Amino acid sequence: RVLFRSQTITLQVNNANDMNAFVVSPDDKGIYPSIIVLQEAFGVNHHIKNVTEKISADGYVAIAPELFHRTAPAGFEISYTNFEAVKPHIQSLTPEGLINDLKSVYDWLMKNTQVIKNKIATIGFCLGGRVSFLANATLPLAAAVSYYGGSLHTIADKAKDLHAPQLFSGADRTNIFCLNTERQLLKRLMMQKKIISTQLFHMQITGLTAMKE
């Protein structure tokens, strides 16, 4: 594991408010692959920042953008028990807006001298799981991971555009892979000969809880 340093940066996004992002980089002059960490519905909170730090400690430049920047103040986060308060922010997200956000993060990484340019990947949780899939369809990534990504069927038309291998992972109690719509998406990906993999963990708790233990 490597020593790392963290900072919050501000990125310009087309036709939107500036977007903050939490960045963690190895504390040396080496060059490293990069992972874009895509938040749950509850903001770039302590948990997401902790995940970002752990990833960087394994030798990555890791960045977690604040996806609610159009509707919430910088640094926004909310309790895991208050999902009702999060709904308006989720409902305001659009594929077009998220694509602009992702391109802004990607452009920043491409200009970062510490980043290996063809080794950029995404990992997303819950809401971020869907955004990770969208990122793979938008950016020339090296890989993408979606942990219990919900509502993937809403962007199923992007399946044909995937650039890199895609991993879907979730717990059985979240029912992510039990929904017909999600199964149809996976079938579509397989028919198009996209390189994908799925993991389904058998446990009595949700994937959301599992990630915090």
Side-chain angles (χ1 to χ4, degrees):
R1 300 179 74 82
V2 301
L3 297 176
F4 58 82
R5 64 182 184 277
S6 62
Q7 62 178 320
T8 297
I9 64 171
T10 301
L11 301 173
Q12 291 186 333
V13 179
N14 289 340
N15 303 317
N17 296 330
D18 290 344
M19 177 176 65
N20 278 9
F22 181 68
V23 180
V24 190
S25 307
D27 194 17
D28 58 35
K29 295 182 179 179
I31 59 172
Y32 296 91
S34 179
I35 295 182
I36 302 170
V37 181
L38 297 161
Q39 66 178 69
E40 302 164 318
F42 305 95
V44 179
N45 55 15
H46 174 75
H47 169 58
I48 293 298
K49 289 180 178 179
N50 183 253
V51 169
T52 307
E53 290 173 344
K54 287 181 177 180
I55 288 172
S56 184
D58 282 331
Y60 294 88
V61 175
I63 179 170
E66 297 184 4
L67 299 179
F68 293 153
H69 64 98
R70 292 174 179 81
T71 56
F76 174 82
E77 58 181 271
I78 201 160
S79 168
Y80 284 102
T81 61
N82 193 8
F83 187 71
E84 286 300 316
V86 173
K87 282 184 177 180
H89 300 288
I90 297 175
Q91 292 167 352
S92 72
L93 297 176
T94 64
E96 294 75 20
L98 289 168
I99 287 171
N100 284 332
D101 296 344
L102 292 164
K103 287 181 176 178
S104 179
V105 175
Y106 184 81
D107 289 346
W108 183 84
L109 290 171
M110 290 298 287
K111 295 174 184 176
N112 190 320
T113 57
Q114 201 174 14
V115 172
I116 301 172
K117 303 304 185 284
N118 64 344
K119 296 294 183 182
I120 298 174
T122 58
I123 183 170
F125 307 91
C126 196
L127 160 68
R130 172 160 51 94
V131 182
S132 182
F133 175 78
L134 180 63
N136 195 2
T138 304
L139 306 172
L141 300 177
V145 181
S146 296
Y147 278 97
Y148 46 97
S151 301
L152 285 167
H153 63 283
T154 63
I155 53 171
D157 60 309
K158 303 292 184 182
K160 66 183 184 303
D161 301 321
L162 292 187
H163 292 85
Q166 175 83 43
L167 171 65
F168 298 100
S169 183
D172 54 358
R173 290 303 179 94
T174 64
N175 292 321
I176 293 301
F177 298 108
C178 297
L179 297 174
N180 286 335
T181 50
E182 311 300 349
R183 287 182 173 177
Q184 290 170 8
L185 171 60
L186 296 178
K187 183 178 180 181
R188 180 181 298 190
L189 289 168
M190 291 175 182
M191 289 178 63
Q192 294 176 357
K193 297 182 180 179
K194 298 295 183 179
I195 303 174
I196 65 167
S197 179
T198 61
Q199 291 180 332
L200 183 60
F201 297 100
H202 298 286
M203 54 182 69
Q204 300 300 314
I205 54 179
T206 66
L208 188 73
T209 305
M211 286 305 301
K212 297 181 183 59
E213 294 191 341

